[in-house]
C-alpha cells in the first residue's frame, strides 16, 4: 500500500532533471533540498495527496485514469493522470506551456517509495522513507 507519510531521503539526477525542465539554478539549489513530504491516502481508485516542502504546501485529489491539473512549485502547469500497472503507479502528464510530456512512476521497493521522473530524455529518481 502507498498509504502513509513519505519523506524524501535522497535523489538521483534530480538537479539535471530540473535543468532539463528549465528550472533556473537558484531554484534548483533550493529544490534539491526541499525536504519533500508526501502523505498519500488511497481509497479505491481515489487518492488524497498532501504535499509539504520548504517550497510550499499543497493538497490535491485525483482518481486513477482521470485527467487533472497540477502546478509545479515554479508555476508550470501540467495536465494528465495516474494509472496502475500491477502494483506500480504510472503517471503521464503534459506541460501546458510547451506540450512536452513528463512521465512518472511510483513503486514500493523494499521499505521505500521510489518515484521516477522522465522528461525530454532525462530521468531522475527520488527515494522516500516512511515518516
Ligand atoms: C501527485 O500525485 O503527487 C500529484 C501529481 C504529480 C504529477 C507529476 C509530478 C512531477 C513533479 C516533477 C518535479 C519537477 C521539478 C522541475
Amino acid at each position: 500500500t502507498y498509504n502513509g507519510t513519505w519523506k524524501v531521503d535522497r535523489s538521483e539526477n534530480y538537479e539535471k532533471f530540473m535543468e532539463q525542465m528549465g528550472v533556473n539554478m537558484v531554484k534548483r539549489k533550493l529544490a534539491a533540498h526541499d525536504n519533500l513530504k508526501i502523505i498519500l491516502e488511497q481509497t479505491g481508485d481515489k487518492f488524497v495527496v498532501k504535499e509539504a516542502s520548504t517550497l510550499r504546501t499543497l493538497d490535491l485529489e485525483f482518481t486513477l485514469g482521470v485527467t487533472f491539473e497540477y502546478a509545479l512549485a515554479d508555476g508550470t502547469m501540467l495536465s494528465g493522470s495516474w494509472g496502475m500497472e500491477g502494483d506500480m503507479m504510472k503517471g503521464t502528464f503534459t506541460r501546458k506551456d510547451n506540450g512536452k510530456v513528463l512521465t512518472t512512476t511510483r513503486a514500493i521497493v523494499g521499505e521505500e517509495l521510489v518515484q521516477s521522473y522522465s522528461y525530454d530524455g532525462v530521468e531522475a529518481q527520488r527515494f522516500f522513507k516512511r515518516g
Side-chain angles (χ1 to χ4, degrees), residues 14 17-18 21 23 49 51 60 62 68 70 72 78 82 93 102 104 106 115 117:
Y14 191 53
F17 178 80
M18 289 189 283
M21 285 286 288
V23 178
V49 183
E51 183 186 313
L60 66 126
F62 63 83
F68 64 100
Y70 178 78
L72 299 180
L78 305 179
W82 283 106
F93 295 87
L102 184 161
T104 178
R106 285 185 174 130
Q115 184 160 8
Y117 309 88

Side-chain angles (χ1 to χ4, degrees), residues 109-121:
V109 180
E111 306 265 270
E112 295 185 321
L113 184 154
V114 181
Q115 184 160 8
S116 72
Y117 309 88
S118 177
Y119 175 77
D120 213 12

